[in-house]
């Protein structure tokens, strides 16, 4: 059975689901094609941290815009989305990192984002289970956490309520004008969208996406053990390190009282299996910042694959080699945060309307320079 | 702590003990691991003389060269030939040439209204608690569910002074009668002995719990008996709907499963080289079969197959018994309707049946409701949803059991470094009690 839509989206992760909702609500007929379940890939594997970041001006603009969209929508969320405005604390280990705290504070303040500098004492008050001797931190109170699979499902339901169709199947071929499923069905569409995350380059040759493997571990319930999403400022060094495997202290409190413990980053490891060496390094890092984690009961460890681009910015817009084919991928570790902004920018481009933020930094046609940090 | 063995046996129930003894007879170094502090498994543990002949085996074990590693729980396989385990707060690295999995079975639970009330317990769980000191004398207990264990549990509890209000077996009288008439003389003898211990205890077939109710704890149970409702007052409701094999470790190691059981060849070897499996994980068959399979696995892992042919023949002869057991105690379809939409199916994550009915698979249930993602790791709700909703479980992720974070810290494949738990980390105190400690 062959069908025709205005838009056919390959990939029902949180980005694809958000794009489907935005397109359908703009009046387009939409097919969302997912090989397993909505929000079951990297969306389910990740933490679900809504965070403003400033690795680059473009990253700041996109994350800030998207964070606002999350807050605007949050009143509608059903409880299972678990939207919790916990805020983020960027933890500074030493004076060097405190200098970064102050820089970040000023950068954010100049752009209207409220943050609060925590000294050694107030950091300890905010998070008593952090180890002694940390220099301080930066509290970003507008950051939040969500349960990503249910957020993706909610986005999909918005799309469905606006008339979108969910098609279960594996995309074998994606090009301008049509999308072909492995079992043979051809879906014709005015616009096709590659939202296949870390698998995007397998559908569209030449797209500069690499799989970047991550590990997470979840504990039993320890309410109030951690109150904010905690990320070490050294995370920046980790996330930016393009060449080698890296780990960083990154802990998230879930509404249930469980803790999600991350994070790791690895290229060139495409096995879904746990890499015990890096899991160990990751947990060592967590215990180094928060020694009380050691005796906590862990329930499960798992892995997932981020879609990483060379310059740490996503690919949102037309694929220059094939007009009519759009990309919405390459979000690395920020896919949950930037899903809503991505959907907005994508639909703006499809509909030919202006966007709230400059779209040039995210266009797939940009020239890539490797991140230098 | 690091230990290395020619043959490592996981599980010190009948199958594991038999495997360990036979492997030791082959002049191999053998380690026997169990997460309980003493050997015997659910069936032989706890000091009460048991009709199934555990004492001679336990006696042999105590005089053997087998190294006991009790109170030790296997968590993960960081590298081939290496298992990671916890013994209390001590991390144990276990290396092996050959591995025998004898991980036994656990009780199956079915959700019904009121099943989460305090004092509604697993039948085997209550038995274990009573054996370890829970006072039960004079308490009124309803034992309900399915399988031969119900009678054994009722006998134990009665031995400790409990008043057994009734034993409710969901299987039909006709099924049980067919099963009983085909039991061998020895088994019939056991049954008669058990029967003698249960004189005066009402035994109901075609009978199952519909709901439990009470203020703060169970006070009464509504059962269906031959199609009519009956209500009983009680202090405890002990439930168990026969057994579910413990296949999680086998699955983690990559052993092939078939219809929910570990697939083995005639030497009890799994699809993974050097990994054997014996007892209930290969099929629910009872003690005698487990002992035979354990011996076969032990001899094959130990490398002396001279006596195996005879054991294999005996094992083959017992297969019809296992098949009859499965048939006699097959759960009736009416039990899929016990849970109401409001009944919690996943106790760890408080997921109701209504929410699960919106999903189409175990994976979907996990993803959108968190069913099975709590500390029981799906051990309770997995089999329940398989029975009620027809869902198939999916892959196992480490750790196999909830484990201290710092135990996983040492899970490096390079086992030469960081093997001792970090003293500084052990010194860190944790003010939080683990709410996930559920039996």
């Amino acid at each position: 059975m062959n069908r025709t839509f205005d838009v056919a989206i390959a990939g029902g992760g949180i980005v694809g689901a958000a794009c489907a909702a935005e397109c359908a609500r703009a009046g387009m007929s939409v097919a969302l094609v997912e090989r397993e379940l909505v929000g079951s890939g990297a969306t389910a594997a990740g933490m679900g941290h809504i965070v403003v970041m400033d690795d680059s001006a473009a990253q700041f603009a996109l994350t800030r815009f998207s964070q606002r969209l999350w807050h605007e929508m949050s009143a509608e969320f059903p409880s299972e989305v678990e939207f919790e405005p916990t805020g983020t604390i960027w933890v500074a280990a030493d004076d060097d990192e405190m200098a970064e705290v102050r820089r970040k504070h000023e950068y954010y303040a100049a752009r209207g984002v409220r943050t609060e500098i925590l000294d050694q004492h107030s950091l300890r008050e905010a998070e008593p289970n952090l180890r002694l001797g940390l220099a301080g931190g930066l509290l970003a109170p507008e950051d939040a956490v969500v349960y990503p699979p249910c957020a993706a499902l909610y986005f999909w339901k918005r799309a469905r309520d606006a008339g979108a169709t969910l098609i279960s199947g594996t995309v074998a071929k994606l090009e301008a004008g049509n999308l072909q499923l492995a079992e043979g069905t051809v879906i014709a569409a005015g616009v096709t969208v590659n939202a296949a995350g870390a698998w995007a380059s397998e559908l569209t040759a030449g797209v500069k996406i690499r799989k970047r493997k991550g590990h997470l571990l979840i504990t039993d319930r320890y309410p109030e053990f951690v109150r904010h999403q905690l990320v070490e400022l050294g995370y920046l060094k980790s996330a930016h390190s393009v060449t080698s495997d890296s780990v960083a202290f990154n802990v998230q409190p879930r509404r249930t009282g469980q803790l999600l413990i991350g994070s790791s980053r690895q290229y060139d490891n495409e096995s879904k299996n746990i890499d015990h060496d890096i899991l160990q390094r990751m947990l060592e890092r967590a215990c180094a910042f928060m020694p009380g984690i050691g005796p906590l009961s862990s329930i499960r460890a798992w892995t997932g694959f981020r879609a990483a681009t060379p310059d740490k910015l996503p690919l949102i817009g037309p694929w220059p080699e094939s007009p009519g084919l759009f990309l919405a991928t390459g979000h690395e570790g920020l896919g949950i945060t930037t899903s809503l902004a991505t959907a907005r920018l994508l639909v703006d481009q499809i509909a030919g309307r202006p966007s709230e933020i400059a779209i040039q930094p995210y266009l797939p046609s940009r020239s890539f320079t490797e991140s230098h940090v | 702590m690091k230990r290395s063995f020619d043959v490592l046996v996981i599980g010190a129930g009948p199958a594991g003990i038999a495997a360990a003894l036979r492997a030791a007879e082959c002049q191999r170094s053998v380690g026997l691991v169990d997460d309980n502090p003493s050997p015997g498994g659910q069936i032989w543990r706890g000091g009460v003389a048991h009709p199934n002949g555990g004492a001679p085996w336990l006696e042999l074990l105590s005089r053997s060269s087998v190294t006991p590693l009790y109170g030790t729980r296997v968590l993960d396989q960081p590298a081939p030939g290496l298992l990671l385990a916890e013994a209390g707060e001590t991390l144990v690295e276990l290396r092996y040439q050959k591995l025998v999995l004898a991980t036994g079975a656990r009780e199956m639970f079915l959700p019904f209204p009121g099943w989460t009330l305090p004092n509604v317990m697993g039948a085997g769980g209550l038995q274990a608690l009573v054996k370890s000191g829970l006072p039960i004398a004079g308490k009124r207990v309803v034992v309900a569910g399915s399988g031969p264990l119900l009678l054994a549990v009722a006998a134990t509890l009665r031995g400790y002074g409990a008043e057994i209000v009734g034993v409710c077996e969901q299987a039909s009288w006709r099924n049980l009668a067919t099963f009983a008439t085909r039991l061998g003389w020895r088994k019939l003898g056991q049954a008669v002995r058990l029967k003698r211990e249960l004189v005066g205890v009402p035994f109901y077939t075609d009978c199952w719990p519909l709901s439990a109710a009470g203020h703060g704890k169970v006070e009464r149970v509504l059962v269906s008996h031959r199609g009519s409702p009956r209500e009983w007052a009680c202090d405890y409701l002990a439930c168990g709907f026969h057994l579910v094999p413990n296949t999680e470790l086998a699955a983690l190691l990559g052993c092939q499963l078939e219809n929910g059981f570990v697939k083995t060849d005639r030497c009890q070897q799994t699809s993974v080289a050097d990994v054997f499996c014996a007892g209930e994980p290969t099929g629910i068959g009872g003690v005698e079969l487990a002992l035979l399979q354990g011996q076969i696995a032990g001899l094959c892992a130990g490398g002396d197959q001279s006596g195996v042919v005879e054991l294999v023949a005996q094992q083959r002869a017992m297969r019809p018994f296992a098949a009859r057991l499965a048939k006699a105690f097959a759960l009736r379809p009416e039990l899929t309707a016990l849970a109401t939409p409001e009944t919690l199916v996943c106790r760890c994550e408080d997921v109701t049946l209504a929410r699960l009915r919106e999903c189409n698979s175990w994976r979907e249930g996990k993803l959108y409701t968190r069913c099975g993602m709590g500390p029981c790791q799906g051990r309770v709700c997995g089999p329940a949803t398989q029975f009620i909703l027809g869902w198939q479980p999916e892959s196992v992720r480490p750790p196999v059991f909830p484990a201290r974070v710092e135990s996983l810290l040492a899970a490096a494949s390079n086992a030469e470094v960081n093997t001792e738990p970090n003293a500084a980390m052990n010194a860190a105190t944790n003010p939080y009690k683990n709410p996930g400690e559920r039996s």
Side-chain angles (χ1 to χ4, degrees):
Chain A
M1 186 187 64
N2 297 339
R3 301 178 61 180
T4 303
F5 294 89
D6 294 333
V7 181
I9 301 168
I14 195 164
V15 170
C19 290
E22 200 66 29
C23 289
R25 289 166 67 90
M28 304 171 199
S29 64
V30 177
L32 179 64
V33 183
E34 165 56 36
R35 62 181 170 184
E36 203 203 347
L37 294 163
V38 168
S40 62
T43 301
M47 269 191 173
H49 183 196
I50 309 300
V51 56
V52 173
M53 287 190 45
D54 65 339
D55 292 7
S56 62
Q59 188 190 58
F60 177 86
L62 189 67
T63 53
R64 176 61 171 159
F65 175 38
S66 210
Q67 185 203 50
R68 204 196 77 208
L69 296 176
W70 276 98
H71 278 284
E72 285 171 6
M73 203 186 278
S74 63
E76 312 166 13
F77 289 147
S79 72
E80 56 263 28
V81 172
E82 296 184 19
F83 183 87
E84 296 282 339
T86 60
T88 303
I89 295 179
W90 297 90
V91 180
D94 52 29
D95 290 344
D96 281 355
E97 291 183 359
M98 272 315 277
E100 172 63 12
V101 161
R102 285 184 287 272
R103 186 207 61 76
K104 213 173 169 73
H105 174 71
E106 279 164 31
Y107 184 94
Y108 281 33
R111 288 157 186 80
V113 179
R114 187 166 54 90
T115 59
E116 186 187 329
I117 294 177
L118 306 178
D119 62 14
Q120 195 163 356
H121 176 73
S122 44
L123 176 67
R124 196 152 174 77
E125 211 159 72
E127 292 290 349
N129 283 303
L130 282 169
R131 78 166 161 84
L132 292 170
L134 293 167
L138 184 71
L139 169 65
E142 292 172 50
D143 287 352
V145 306
V146 295
Y147 181 56
C150 285
L153 187 65
Y154 175 71
F155 294 166
W156 156 245
K157 285 177 176 169
R158 276 165 64 90
R160 182 196 61 194
D161 293 347
T165 303
L166 182 64
I167 295 174
S168 184
T170 302
V171 178
K173 200 171 172 190
L174 181 69
E175 47 192 24
N178 71 78
L179 176 159
Q180 193 176 324
L181 298 182
E183 35 83 3
T185 303
V186 175
I187 295 159
V191 168
T192 52
V193 180
N194 183 344
W199 282 262
S201 54
E202 290 171 24
L203 289 182
T204 308
V207 171
K208 288 193 171 153
I209 297 279
R210 287 173 77 192
K211 293 189 179 76
R212 204 172 191 193
K213 182 173 175 174
H215 289 72
L216 280 182
L217 179 111
I218 193 160
T219 70
D220 205 337
R221 300 179 178 201
Y222 301 95
E224 291 292 303
F225 190 90
V226 170
R227 300 161 184 171
H228 308 81
Q229 171 100 28
L230 300 177
V231 191
E232 63 164 303
L233 269 171
Y235 161 86
L236 302 172
K237 296 164 201 158
S238 154
H240 288 188
S241 161
V242 202
T243 47
S244 61
D245 294 355
S246 62
V247 297
F249 168 66
N250 189 342
V251 171
Q252 177 178 94
R254 303 297 319 164
R255 181 186 283 176
T256 56
Q258 291 176 295
L259 305 182
L260 272 175
I261 303 174
S263 60
S264 73
R265 287 181 151 77
Q266 290 172 287
Y267 284 119
D268 305 319
N269 182 334
E270 300 204 356
S271 161
K272 282 181 76 174
N273 295 337
I274 301 285
D275 177 331
H276 286 86
D277 286 316
I278 199 137
L279 177 69
Q280 179 188 23
R281 283 176 55 196
M282 183 180 100
L283 297 178
E284 271 172 355
R285 192 84 189 155
C287 291
F289 276 84
M290 202 164 241
I293 284 177
L296 302 188
S297 180
S298 62
I299 294 178
R300 200 165 54 253
W302 66 91
T303 64
F305 295 95
R306 307 174 182 92
T309 60
D311 63 358
K312 310 285 179 297
L313 290 171
L315 302 164
I316 308 166
W319 178 237
E321 293 174 26
S322 182
L325 171 62
F326 284 67
L327 304 185
T329 180
H331 296 79
E332 220 271 3
L334 289 169
I336 310 300
T337 297
T338 57
S339 55
L340 290 173
T342 297
R344 202 56 88 75
L345 299 188
L346 181 83
V347 174
D348 289 345
Q349 293 180 63
I350 292 173
R353 64 191 190 196
S355 289
E356 269 188 63
I357 62 171
I359 60 167
Q360 286 74 19
Y362 324 110
L363 291 177
S365 58
R366 69 185 182 265
S367 62
F368 289 92
T369 47
E370 298 279 331
S371 168
H372 57 278
V373 182
Chain B
M1 186 171 73
K2 289 194 223 177
R3 306 302 297 262
S4 186
F5 299 96
D6 296 330
V7 178
L8 182 67
V9 181
I10 311 299
I17 291 171
L21 286 173
R22 289 291 172 262
E25 284 168 13
C26 301
Q27 312 304 318
R28 304 292 171 188
S29 64
V30 180
L32 180 59
V33 176
D34 200 289
D35 56 0
N36 270 276
S38 58
Q42 184 67 26
I43 190 151
W44 287 346
R45 196 180 298 120
V48 172
H50 197 278
N52 290 59
W57 287 94
L58 290 165
E59 171 65 19
L60 281 174
L61 181 64
S62 69
R63 286 190 280 110
S64 73
S65 64
V66 172
T67 304
L69 296 156
Y70 306 141
T72 302
R73 176 173 268 190
V74 175
L75 309 173
D76 196 5
Q77 184 192 42
L82 173 66
L83 292 177
L84 195 72
E86 272 180 354
E89 298 192 357
T90 307
L91 186 78
V92 188
E93 288 185 25
L94 299 165
R95 290 188 177 279
Y96 60 85
Q97 302 298 317
K98 309 276 182 187
L99 182 69
V100 179
L101 302 174
T103 43
R106 60 181 181 269
E107 281 178 293
M108 166 133 173
F109 299 111
L110 286 180
F112 53 84
W115 78 297
T116 54
L117 277 174
N119 291 0
V120 179
M121 309 181 100
L126 182 59
Q127 184 186 37
L129 280 177
V130 167
K131 282 180 180 179
S132 58
L134 179 77
I136 200 77
K139 302 287 189 194
R140 297 160 302 170
V141 183
V142 175
V143 181
S146 194
L149 281 180
L150 295 185
L151 291 173
V153 168
T156 304
L157 298 183
R158 196 165 191 235
Y160 280 90
E163 178 199 330
I164 307 295
V165 179
V167 177
C168 308
E169 167 58 61
Q170 59 88 35
S172 68
W173 180 85
R174 179 195 297 266
N175 274 8
L176 291 188
T178 311
F179 179 67
T181 55
R182 304 193 62 177
L183 280 176
W185 283 112
R186 217 161 77 82
K187 287 210 163 277
L188 215 51
Q190 286 167 15
V192 167
R193 225 172 311 152
L194 202 53
K195 182 82 182 166
R196 207 179 304 137
E197 291 170 36
L198 288 167
V199 167
V201 169
F203 179 75
Y204 303 93
T205 57
D206 302 87
C207 186
W208 58 87
L210 293 172
S211 64
H215 294 289
K217 62 183 175 56
V218 65
E219 288 166 351
R220 56 194 182 277
V221 183
L222 185 67
V223 303
S224 166
H225 178 230
R226 307 231 161 121
S228 306
R230 286 173 173 232
E231 193 173 69
W232 291 324
C234 68
D235 301 304
Y236 286 92
L237 170 58
C239 279
F241 291 84
H242 208 28
L243 299 171
V244 188
N246 291 322
T247 55
E248 289 77 12
L249 182 56
L252 185 80
L253 299 182
C255 301
Q256 200 185 331
L257 304 189
E258 201 171 57
N259 301 322
F261 294 102
V262 179
K263 201 177 164 187
T264 55
D265 66 10
R266 55 185 290 283
C267 280
Q268 302 300 131
Q269 165 122 15
T270 68
S271 63
V272 175
D274 301 328
V275 178
F276 299 78
C277 187
E280 312 291 39
T282 69
I284 304 298
V287 180
E288 275 84 0
L289 189 59
L291 285 168
L292 285 170
Q293 291 183 342
Q295 294 182 71
I296 296 167
L299 289 173
C300 292
D304 175 7
Q305 301 200 11
S306 53
V308 166
V309 177
E310 167 62 20
L311 291 169
V312 169
Q314 288 182 39
Q315 202 235 130
R316 286 239 166 89
M318 290 202 61
R319 259 191 219 153
F321 169 75
R324 286 201 300 274
L325 187 70
K327 197 174 167 191
F329 295 103
L331 297 183
R332 59 174 66 226
E334 290 96 314
L335 299 178
T336 61
L338 292 185
T340 63
E342 304 77 36
T343 305
L344 293 182
V345 175
C346 172
R347 305 177 64 156
C348 301
E349 297 291 333
D350 294 350
V351 185
T352 60
L353 181 61
R355 288 189 65 204
L356 292 177
R357 285 214 187 275
E358 292 170 17
C359 302
N360 296 303
S361 66
W362 176 243
R363 168 83 175 134
E364 191 173 342
K366 270 177 82 168
L367 196 60
Y368 300 143
T369 72
R370 295 175 181 279
C371 177
M373 290 177 51
C376 95
Q377 298 171 308
R379 282 180 171 81
V380 175
C381 56
T385 56
Q386 191 166 7
F387 179 66
I388 300 173
L389 300 166
W391 291 355
Q392 293 305 310
E394 55 162 28
S395 61
V396 172
R397 287 161 167 169
V400 185
F401 287 100
R404 294 152 62 85
V405 170
E406 61 200 14
S407 294
L408 299 179
L409 262 177
S413 55
N414 177 3
E416 299 313 307
V417 295
N418 291 317
T419 50
E420 297 305 321
N422 183 320
M425 280 166 189
N426 279 348
T429 52
N430 170 26
Y432 290 82
K433 287 229 168 65
N434 180 0
E437 285 293 329
R438 295 159 209 201
S439 58

